[in-house]
Amino acid sequence: MVSFKRRQTLLDFEKSIDNQSYAPRRKTWKLKADSIIEILNSHESFEVMEGYNFNNLPSFTDLTLYNLTKEAQFELWSLETRRLVDVVNAARPLELEGQRDWFGIANREGYHRLGKLANQLHDAMSICYQDNELILLEHAPFSSNPTRFKTAKQDLLKKYGPDATEHLAKFSLRLDSENDKCYQTIINYITGTLAQILVRVVEGDFWDNNCIATLAKLATKLKIVGLDIQDSAAISIAAEKQFRSRLRRAGKDDFPLPPEKENTTTGIQLEAMKRDVKHQANNYFGVMSKFHQLIGVLLLSTIRELGFDPHETTYPDVFESSAIMYDTGFRGQRSMLFQERAGAIGASGNRVEAHCADFVFEVCLEAFENLKENLRARPRAPLKGTGDDISTLVSWKWTKLPHIDKMPNKPKKNVEGVNTNNTMRIRDTMSGFLPSDAPRIMKISGDGEPWGPGKGLDVRKDHMSLVWMQDAITALVPQSMVGGAFCGALAEMIHTLFASADPIHAMKMCREVRFLAAFTMRSGAHQMTLGQDVTLVSASAIAKERALAITLGTLDQPTLTNSSQISPLDIELLRQLQKAKEYITKGLDTMEQWTIDEKAIIVPSRAYCYGSLLMCAALIIGGLAIGFSVEQRISGVDPFNISIFCWTFAAFIIIVLKSIRVENWPWRDFFHGRVVCRSVSEVCSVSGMEPQLLLSILLRLEPAMILYKRGPFDTIFTRRADDGFSIDVAMTTKTMIQGGCFFIKVQSATGPALMCIRASLHQIHSQVTPQGVSEKGEEVKCRRMEEEALWTDEKNLYTLSTNYLAWHRVLGLFCKDVYFN
């Protein structure tokens, strides 16, 4: 007879991505520049299949409109390709080229100059994006992106259109000296760094060649149009007008022209679609559009971090940019939390985005360490009239997690902490990090090698103070890429290209290295006074307790120790993380015995049920035994009255025991030894689990559960129903954070408010920007913080809703421990 057992699927261990579906990590590259140069002119002859070529196709990132011949264009493309190939094949960290005097000192004036260069880069990217989208709208409209095209078009019209006034101050957009040299060296550094990241993430000639070719074309066009942004923008705007004229002439006989007020970007695309344009070289447009669009998004994400928006921040030299990769405590699952230079705060709990972040953090780490070594080798020449306000502090800590090949569903232990099958549960992985004097040293593999300092514990940490803008830019470019927005765009690029590429183009993502990290870059003018209820991401409790970060001190006395030694504070942080992981894992192990359906949680309670029945049965049998044993020995007394009393008393006891824990307990479930719980309080009463732990697990794992919620405190949950599981216990701020929900304090027109961002299971990156709007029903928020009520334990109660909210400033990460309604 075959017996079937339900497999637990609540939450599996986060295994290292290293199976056959993934390629080995790439450490060396041998890209061939000549092979990549051959595909630069693929528009002249594109092979669809063997023996079938399309000739004279439109060229993406074309420069012939900007007074450049095809021969000169190809020569520049080739030079940029060889530069990028040399950067990748060298496999060395990059540093911003040029002379220090070009960029100046890292003070307010220096960051203001960087802002001018970033604005030029942003406008040049808008030109590139608009020109490429015009090709797609005309030849392959289904591949175009109307939203991003409209944004690029509006940016150009706002600054350089016929009604704009900014173009009159042409020279105010450029630096007073060495503008073109600074501009082009930054392009070289950004594209070189991006090339190093892209070739590490995926293995495959198709990926390598097209990424390098696309970056080479974009770098060339950025440099050419940047020589005269005003004239280049005028050419691009004129080309867009000519396209609309051609489109209207071509479609005039097929369908009526739309009214002028409906002549939007989406309308233009719809007009193009009505023409039923189905170019036979769709494969060409598909490949070109995806690489140019998605790499363009990565470049724009980086460029925005270099710029300065006076509507969002006070001064260009007042900022902090930070990113952490932290352990959630849920069986090795990791999430990201980041704060951008402009003040935006975001989070991500997506597995693929964390995988992509591995390579971005690696490139950033190498760039920081290389810059630190170069600073040590330089002679220290003091600057006159300088102080801490011109120094930019950079700190980093990267902690490698142990490699775990196999994770059993139910390991059997023969000694404390060690499993019989020579593998270790995720709850015990941190214990092996501790030194020999720490308790519970464990072995993780069959060869008996313990994890300890120099073996399993790999910590790379350091800090540096930057005075020159050249060094600050060298650090700021990779730092701007470790945020969730960049990693989310990179994950989207991989997903899109893998889904659309032909099977003949073999591509594989490379294996990851599991790690925790905390990277921070802070200007000297940045002030730490944020208030008692908000904090920075780098100074938050989640950064210290779950990312093992060490809080930055002042610029004079940084609290970071030398990277060559493991400090006692590192050991203490590891112990605290281990303790937190064991606490959560204990709750997960308990939940694995439960059955969760759409409306209730069924908790097994055989000992309680059968113990109650056994006790009542013993009482009844005892009463019967008294009746049969006494019989007529006591005159005038019927001994079976005692049996009736025992029966009645047993019935009363079992009714009380059955009703004391849950409101409604069917007899069928009682006799089967299980409890159907329909609220948080009932589950905790039956299982003994702490309510806040249960709520955090339900919140983080909500995307993987079919359980619907209701009740007075269900606003934070997305899956709700009128007859669902009752959330009858209020959640605290710590519970929200442990469940993957962070609240960002913002300033609205009606006062301070809270906006929610999520890093729960599988959640893609989301962020709260310095200026934004949340429509009704979109995300949870607290619109009026002043309407707080005292709850219990001297903690306030904030009311959550999904109503409309608009804000104009981000104040920080909310950290005050309160209750939420």
Side-chain angles (χ1 to χ4, degrees):
M1 182 177 179
V2 181
S3 61
F4 295 93
K5 192 173 184 179
R6 183 174 68 90
R7 180 178 179 270
Q8 301 295 341
T9 57
L10 180 64
L11 181 65
D12 201 0
F13 301 99
E14 183 182 278
K15 303 180 180 65
S16 297
I17 298 180
D18 58 355
N19 54 39
Q20 296 181 355
S21 300
Y22 295 87
R25 289 183 72 87
R26 307 176 73 178
K27 296 297 183 180
T28 60
W29 293 266
K30 295 181 180 179
L31 303 185
K32 298 180 180 179
D34 294 335
S35 301
I36 301 176
I37 291 174
E38 290 179 358
I39 68 174
L40 292 175
N41 278 334
S42 58
H43 60 280
E44 294 182 356
S45 179
F46 184 80
E47 184 179 18
V48 180
M49 61 183 68
E50 187 175 357
Y52 293 89
N53 289 22
F54 284 98
N55 301 323
N56 300 323
L57 295 170
S59 174
F60 284 78
T61 325
D62 186 48
L63 285 169
T64 56
L65 283 175
Y66 303 92
N67 302 322
L68 207 66
T69 62
K70 292 183 178 181
E71 293 76 14
Q73 173 181 260
F74 181 73
E75 182 180 357
L76 293 177
W77 284 352
S78 302
L79 291 174
E80 290 294 330
T81 300
R82 296 187 185 279
R83 175 183 66 85
L84 293 173
V85 169
D86 290 341
V87 167
V88 172
N89 290 341
R92 293 193 302 269
L94 294 179
E95 195 169 2
L96 184 64
E97 302 171 338
Q99 301 178 10
R100 289 184 295 181
D101 295 337
W102 293 357
F103 302 93
I105 301 174
N107 55 9
R108 183 164 300 173
E109 180 183 356
Y111 279 103
H112 183 70
R113 289 165 58 86
L114 176 61
K116 284 189 173 183
L117 294 171
N119 289 336
Q120 297 176 48
L121 283 168
H122 184 273
D123 295 342
M125 276 301 304
S126 297
I127 293 174
C128 295
Y129 206 94
Q130 176 168 274
D131 291 350
N132 288 335
E133 287 297 309
L134 290 176
I135 295 175
L136 294 174
L137 285 170
E138 187 165 4
H139 299 281
F142 286 101
S143 298
S144 63
N145 191 318
T147 302
R148 291 174 181 163
F149 171 56
K150 184 177 181 180
T151 301
K153 174 185 173 181
Q154 290 177 345
D155 288 342
L156 293 177
L157 288 175
K158 178 181 178 181
K159 293 184 177 181
Y160 306 103
D163 299 329
T165 57
E166 188 171 342
H167 69 279
L168 298 177
K170 172 182 176 181
F171 295 101
S172 66
L173 301 177
R174 296 170 58 87
L175 303 183
D176 297 333
S177 61
E178 309 296 349
N179 182 88
D180 293 337
K181 292 180 180 179
C182 295
Y183 176 82
Q184 296 191 17
T185 54
I186 289 181
I187 292 176
N188 288 345
Y189 184 56
I190 293 176
T191 53
T193 304
L194 183 55
Q196 288 184 331
I197 293 174
L198 291 175
V199 297
R200 296 184 189 215
V201 179
V202 176
E203 181 186 61
D205 293 338
F206 177 77
W207 173 272
D208 292 342
N209 294 344
N210 280 280
C211 284
I212 298 299
T214 303
L215 280 173
K217 289 184 176 183
L218 286 172
T220 302
K221 189 162 185 175
L222 289 174
K223 292 179 179 180
I224 294 300
V225 302
L227 296 175
D228 194 331
I229 290 288
Q230 180 183 359
D231 291 345
S232 300
I235 293 173
S236 182
I237 292 172
E240 193 272 338
K241 291 182 179 179
Q242 292 175 4
F243 162 74
R244 283 192 293 165
S245 299
R246 290 197 306 272
L247 187 64
R248 295 173 74 88
R249 287 196 302 269
K252 183 171 60 176
D253 299 330
D254 298 331
F255 53 90
L257 296 176
E260 186 65 26
K261 62 180 181 180
E262 296 181 7
N263 194 17
T264 61
T265 305
T266 305
I268 294 173
Q269 188 193 31
L270 291 176
E271 289 182 23
M273 292 179 179
K274 288 181 181 180
R275 293 166 50 214
D276 196 23
V277 177
K278 293 182 180 179
H279 204 287
Q280 294 182 350
N282 276 339
N283 191 21
Y284 166 80
F285 291 105
V287 172
M288 293 294 108
S289 64
K290 290 179 176 61
F291 275 101
H292 282 80
Q293 287 175 340
L294 298 173
I295 290 181
V297 172
L298 297 177
L299 287 172
L300 278 173
S301 175
T302 305
I303 292 170
R304 289 193 188 100
E305 279 290 276
L306 303 181
F308 160 69
D309 189 346
H311 301 291
E312 297 180 349
T313 55
T314 54
Y315 299 103
D317 63 329
V318 179
F319 70 89
E320 172 170 317
S321 175
S322 58
I324 64 172
M325 177 75 74
Y326 69 94
D327 193 321
T328 64
F330 285 74
R331 291 183 174 165
Q333 301 292 324
R334 296 171 299 152
S335 296
M336 287 189 294
L337 185 65
F338 58 92
Q339 179 173 337
E340 295 182 350
R341 179 187 170 189
I345 299 178
S348 171
N350 186 266
R351 183 76 167 90
V352 181
E353 292 181 8
H355 187 182
C356 293
D358 169 26
F359 306 97
V360 183
F361 272 100
E362 182 183 44
V363 172
C364 186
L365 177 65
E366 293 176 357
F368 286 175
E369 292 177 339
N370 180 68
L371 180 57
K372 177 70 174 182
E373 290 298 323
N374 293 339
L375 290 176
R376 289 172 178 169
R378 294 180 192 170
R380 297 184 179 181
L383 298 175
K384 295 182 180 181
T386 61
D388 290 342
D389 60 330
I390 69 159
S391 298
T392 300
L393 182 64
V394 181
S395 70
W396 63 94
K397 184 178 181 183
W398 185 90
T399 307
K400 181 180 178 181
L401 296 178
H403 175 77
I404 300 176
D405 291 321
K406 296 180 180 180
M407 284 297 175
N409 289 330
K410 290 186 177 181
K412 297 180 180 179
K413 298 184 178 181
N414 55 1
V415 294
E416 182 181 2
V418 181
N419 300 322
T420 56
N421 52 1
N422 293 327
T423 59
M424 194 170 64
R425 297 200 68 169
I426 196 70
R427 76 176 82 177
D428 298 325
T429 56
M430 281 297 171
S431 297
F433 278 161
L434 305 181
S436 57
D437 60 344
R440 298 202 320 171
I441 290 296
M442 308 200 182
K443 298 178 180 179
I444 196 169
S445 58
D447 57 6
E449 181 180 1
W451 290 91
K455 295 181 179 180
L457 182 56
D458 185 4
V459 178
R460 296 161 68 179
K461 60 180 179 179
D462 213 328
H463 69 278
M464 55 187 172
S465 182
L466 308 177
V467 178
W468 295 96
M469 276 305 301
Q470 185 181 24
D471 299 330
I473 298 173
T474 300
L476 184 57
V477 168
Q479 173 68 30
S480 65
M481 296 179 178
V482 297
F486 182 92
C487 297
L490 182 57
E492 179 186 358
M493 176 181 176
I494 294 172
H495 171 76
T496 302
L497 289 170
F498 276 38
S500 59
D502 292 337
I504 60 174
H505 303 310
M507 294 184 293
K508 285 185 177 182
M509 285 192 71
C510 296
R511 298 171 187 169
E512 68 173 359
V513 171
R514 299 182 66 252
F515 67 95
L516 305 178
F519 287 21
T520 303
M521 186 171 181
R522 179 190 300 165
S523 64
H526 186 270
Q527 300 296 326
M528 292 292 294
T529 55
L530 297 175
Q532 297 181 351
D533 59 346
V534 293
T535 184
L536 299 170
V537 169
S538 61
S540 62
I542 196 76
K544 181 179 180 181
E545 297 171 3
R546 299 299 175 86
L548 307 180
I550 299 179
T551 306
L552 285 172
T554 63
L555 292 173
D556 291 330
Q557 298 176 344
T559 57
L560 286 171
T561 57
N562 190 281
S563 60
S564 61
Q565 58 182 333
I566 300 172
S567 66
L569 181 56
D570 293 327
I571 304 300
E572 180 60 28
L573 291 175
L574 289 169
R575 286 196 178 101
Q576 292 177 4
L577 178 58
Q578 169 69 7
K579 185 177 179 180
K581 289 162 65 70
E582 290 179 347
Y583 172 71
I584 297 175
T585 304
K586 182 179 179 181
L588 291 173
D589 290 344
T590 301
M591 288 189 68
E592 283 187 347
Q593 310 302 320
W594 304 349
T595 301
I596 302 175
D597 60 19
E598 294 181 349
K599 300 179 181 180
I601 296 178
I602 303 173
V603 181
S605 185
R606 295 183 180 87
Y608 182 84
C609 296
Y610 297 154
S612 301
L613 292 174
L614 184 61
M615 180 180 64
C616 293
L619 185 61
I620 294 172
I621 294 174
L624 292 174
I626 292 175
F628 284 110
S629 61
V630 174
E631 294 183 349
Q632 301 298 327
R633 297 177 184 175
I634 304 177
S635 60
V637 176
D638 185 0
F640 284 98
N641 288 336
I642 300 177
S643 301
I644 297 174
F645 173 78
C646 291
W647 272 91
T648 306
F649 187 58
F652 173 76
I653 290 177
I654 201 168
I655 290 175
V656 171
L657 293 176
K658 182 176 170 291
S659 304
I660 197 172
R661 287 192 166 186
V662 296
E663 180 181 359
N664 184 16
W665 193 349
W667 284 106
R668 181 176 181 273
D669 293 312
F670 183 81
F671 288 132
H672 280 83
R674 62 195 183 201
V675 187
V676 180
C677 302
R678 293 179 172 83
S679 68
V680 172
S681 57
E682 291 182 354
V683 171
C684 296
S685 174
V686 173
S687 65
M689 183 181 293
E690 296 183 13
Q692 297 300 324
L693 175 60
L694 174 60
L695 289 169
S696 66
I697 295 175
L698 293 178
L699 186 58
R700 177 167 288 278
L701 304 185
E702 185 183 21
M705 292 182 178
I706 62 173
L707 183 67
Y708 286 92
K709 287 85 176 178
R710 63 176 178 87
F713 307 105
D714 69 334
T715 309
I716 192 64
F717 293 94
T718 57
R719 188 187 294 269
R720 299 196 295 269
D722 294 337
D723 58 345
F725 182 79
S726 177
I727 308 297
D728 56 354
V729 177
M731 278 184 277
T732 64
T733 305
K734 293 181 180 179
T735 302
M736 291 282 190
I737 293 176
Q738 188 165 281
C741 291
F742 298 88
F743 282 97
I744 312 303
K745 188 176 181 180
V746 297
Q747 185 67 41
S748 67
T750 58
L754 298 178
M755 270 297 303
C756 178
I757 56 174
R758 299 178 186 266
S760 53
L761 187 66
H762 308 315
Q763 180 68 43
I764 62 174
H765 83 279
S766 59
Q767 63 180 9
V768 176
T769 57
Q771 296 179 353
V773 173
S774 177
E775 299 293 342
K776 183 177 180 180
E778 283 187 351
E779 188 50 271
V780 176
K781 72 271 300 183
C782 176
R783 299 179 69 245
R784 297 185 180 275
M785 295 183 64
E786 65 274 8
E787 296 179 358
E788 59 185 13
L790 187 62
W791 191 243
T792 57
D793 301 331
E794 298 182 354
K795 293 181 181 179
N796 295 327
L797 179 69
Y798 287 173
T799 301
L800 300 179
S801 66
T802 57
N803 296 331
Y804 173 87
L805 177 65
W807 65 92
H808 57 271
R809 185 184 175 191
V810 171
L811 301 177
L813 181 66
F814 185 74
C815 61
K816 184 179 179 181
D817 196 20
V818 298
Y819 286 103
F820 290 96
N821 181 9

